[in-house]
Amino acid sequence: KLHGNIPAEIGYLTNLTSLYLYDNELSGNIPSEIGNLTNLRTLSLHTNQLCETSDSDVIAFVTQYDDDWQASQDCSVASNDSGASSASATVTPQLERDVLITLYNATDGDNWRNNTNWLDGDPCKNNWYEVRCNTQGQVTRLDLSENQLSGNIPAEIGNLTNLTGLGLSHTELSGNIPAEIGNLTNLT
């Protein structure tokens, strides 16, 4: 998978009509120079570790092409040696870690397509696959779509009350959606 930052020099590719960089481990800010790609018809940057930006022009440009894109990290979060962002000051609350472990066990996590770092230490500090956190260490996004989950969604998922994004599509999940999902009032 690709990792690191998207270089500002991407803006030199002014004849580019399609740019597919989704489902990688890209991090950092989306460079403002991406706005120079005026011939783009398709842009896919979702499912990365890209930072939130306050540049409204960049946000408008990216979201006009990629409906699935959402920033997954707060840029004020520190970066570790691997280039992946993690909440450095605060560990994930034990309740939220327990919920993620329950989800892993209830959905046959050992057989997921990708379970990188799951069950290894802190979900935020150890960059559990597709778990995103805020600077307080709270889980804010969880996208396990297309990851071969099977079984039932545990009711405990309702305890991840800081979630703003949840992806569970294209899986083998079965059973009812637990009523506790209604506790996730921050989902957007």
Side-chain angles (χ1 to χ4, degrees):
K1 291 191 175 205
L2 297 173
H3 61 278
N5 296 330
I6 298 173
E9 291 79 5
I10 196 98
Y12 297 158
L13 307 176
T14 57
N15 293 320
L16 200 63
T17 59
S18 298
L19 180 59
Y20 296 97
L21 295 173
Y22 66 93
D23 196 21
N24 279 291
E25 296 173 359
L26 296 170
S27 58
N29 288 309
I30 298 171
S32 60
E33 291 82 358
I34 202 163
N36 296 341
L37 306 182
T38 56
N39 289 314
L40 273 185
R41 292 191 192 100
T42 308
L43 173 65
S44 292
L45 298 177
H46 60 274
T47 318
N48 277 290
Q49 298 170 13
L50 295 166
C51 292
E52 294 177 16
T53 178
S54 59
D55 188 331
S56 59
D57 291 336
V58 171
I59 294 170
F61 185 83
V62 171
T63 56
Q64 111 184 15
Y65 295 103
D66 191 346
D67 292 337
D68 294 325
W69 180 80
Q70 286 189 354
S72 59
Q73 300 288 339
D74 181 335
C75 289
S76 64
V77 172
S79 180
N80 63 27
D81 291 339
S82 70
S85 296
S86 60
S88 60
T90 310
V91 297
T92 305
Q94 187 63 44
L95 174 63
E96 293 186 15
R97 185 179 188 281
D98 291 345
V99 169
L100 293 173
I101 291 170
T102 299
L103 176 67
Y104 182 90
N105 291 328
T107 59
D108 196 23
D110 288 340
N111 291 307
W112 290 355
R113 181 179 55 85
N114 189 335
N115 59 11
T116 301
N117 294 337
W118 274 75
L119 308 183
D120 181 22
D122 184 80
C124 299
K125 289 183 177 287
N126 292 9
N127 298 307
W128 289 14
Y129 177 74
E130 289 300 341
V131 174
R132 303 289 178 258
C133 304
N134 60 22
T135 55
Q136 291 79 40
Q138 299 162 323
V139 177
T140 57
R141 291 189 46 81
L142 179 63
D143 187 358
L144 297 172
S145 300
E146 300 181 28
N147 203 24
Q148 296 176 330
L149 279 71
S150 62
N152 296 314
I153 301 170
E156 290 85 352
I157 200 164
N159 290 322
L160 295 177
T161 56
N162 294 297
L163 279 182
T164 59
L166 175 63
L168 297 173
S169 65
H170 297 88
T171 65
E172 299 297 321
L173 291 170
S174 58
N176 294 323
I177 297 173
E180 291 80 359
I181 203 99
N183 296 339
L184 306 182
T185 57
N186 289 313
L187 286 177
T188 56

